[in-house]
Amino acid sequence: MTSDDDDLPIRVDFRDLATARTWIEETRIKRPYRPRFFAAFCAVLASRPKLRILELGSGPGQLAREILVHCDVHTYVALDFSPAMHEIAAEHLGELASRVTFVTRDFREPDWANDLGMFDAVVTLQAAHETRHKRHLVPLLERARSVVAPGGVLLYADHYLTPETKLPALAPARDEQPLALERAGFVEIELRYEEGNMALWCGTNEPPRDETTT
Ligand SMILES: C[S@@+](CC[C@H](N)C(=O)[O-])C[C@H]1O[C@@H](n2cnc3c(N)ncnc32)[C@H](O)[C@@H]1O
């Protein structure tokens, strides 16, 4: 017996190299709007200097390439549980790969954020649903916030629920997406881009209060 609260099993196993390559090709055709999301991530980050970036579920490195080319990146940590995806990302990034630290880790484990350091931005695209149930979204974002420096940002993009969604347990309603950021403790939550039933939200990790002015 299964209930709506059960985690869904992994359907597409990105740890398999052939499966990962097939997903990349199919996604290029099925989701032609993704480059506009890459640009929207870069638009948020472009004004910030010397960025320490962590990407969750970094996959084939497409977002990493755009950020590395268009933004002032000091360090870039690409976290994914698939060595196959890291291999593909290193290929895709070419010389830029030398600026990326590839971390193989499962973000469903509660200690995934340990020892990673602090970041000016945590970014994630089409990956948070891989916690395999939307009820894990807030805990994932809370852990992400634990490694965002004060004043730093979380950029979260993923699909939201529509009548056509095949696996509704994975997709929060559109209104629940910014609420999840709020529940995880982020402030100044803003929609930065939306297309194809996917939205990019930006939340800030509040800087510490200046006690001298209160
Ligand atoms: C749909 S792909 C998206 C990849 C990338 N963010 C993009 O949009 O091009 C999901 C990615 O999340 C990774 N992933 C899935 N489950 C994960 C987990 N539990 N921990 C870390 N990474 C995971 C997969 O290996 C895959 O690279």
Side-chain angles (χ1 to χ4, degrees), residues 14 23 34 57 59 80-81 85 105-107 125-126 130:
F14 296 103
W23 177 84
R34 278 169 43 94
D80 201 290
F81 80 161
M85 276 297 195
R105 213 174 268 191
D106 183 340
F107 57 48
L125 169 65
Q126 252 186 280
E130 293 293 349

Side-chain angles (χ1 to χ4, degrees), residues 42-64:
C42 291
V44 178
L45 299 173
S47 59
R48 294 172 175 251
K50 294 195 174 70
L51 288 159
R52 296 163 296 169
I53 295 183
L54 167 65
E55 182 176 358
L56 296 179
S58 47
Q62 294 169 346
L63 178 60

Side-chain angles (χ1 to χ4, degrees), residues 163-177:
E164 289 74 43
T165 303
K166 288 194 193 117
L167 299 170
L170 296 187
R174 184 185 178 284
D175 290 354
E176 284 172 7
Q177 290 187 323

Side-chain angles (χ1 to χ4, degrees), residues 101-129:
T101 304
F102 294 98
V103 173
T104 304
R105 213 174 268 191
D106 183 340
F107 57 48
R108 294 193 300 170
E109 295 296 329
D111 59 355
W112 66 260
N114 287 4
D115 310 322
L116 289 177
M118 293 302 281
F119 299 91
D120 304 300
V122 173
V123 302
T124 184
L125 169 65
Q126 252 186 280
H129 65 274

Side-chain angles (χ1 to χ4, degrees), residues 75-180:
T75 53
Y76 200 107
V77 175
L79 184 150
D80 201 290
F81 80 161
S82 166
M85 276 297 195
H86 281 331
E87 189 182 323
I88 293 169
E91 260 171 42
H92 178 68
L93 287 165
E95 284 182 5
L96 292 171
S98 63
R99 298 176 54 197
V100 175
T101 304
F102 294 98
V103 173
T104 304
R105 213 174 268 191
D106 183 340
F107 57 48
R108 294 193 300 170
E109 295 296 329
D111 59 355
W112 66 260
N114 287 4
D115 310 322
L116 289 177
M118 293 302 281
F119 299 91
D120 304 300
V122 173
V123 302
T124 184
L125 169 65
Q126 252 186 280
H129 65 274
E130 293 293 349
T131 55
R132 308 311 295 164
H133 198 287
K134 58 188 169 189
R135 72 192 150 80
H136 298 306
L137 179 58
V138 172
L140 178 75
L141 300 184
E142 273 172 345
R143 292 197 180 102
R145 195 168 74 84
S146 73
V147 293
V148 178
V153 290
L154 169 80
L155 290 173
Y156 154 79
D158 212 346
H159 291 285
Y160 50 76
L161 192 70
T162 69
E164 289 74 43
T165 303
K166 288 194 193 117
L167 299 170
L170 296 187
R174 184 185 178 284
D175 290 354
E176 284 172 7
Q177 290 187 323
L179 274 180

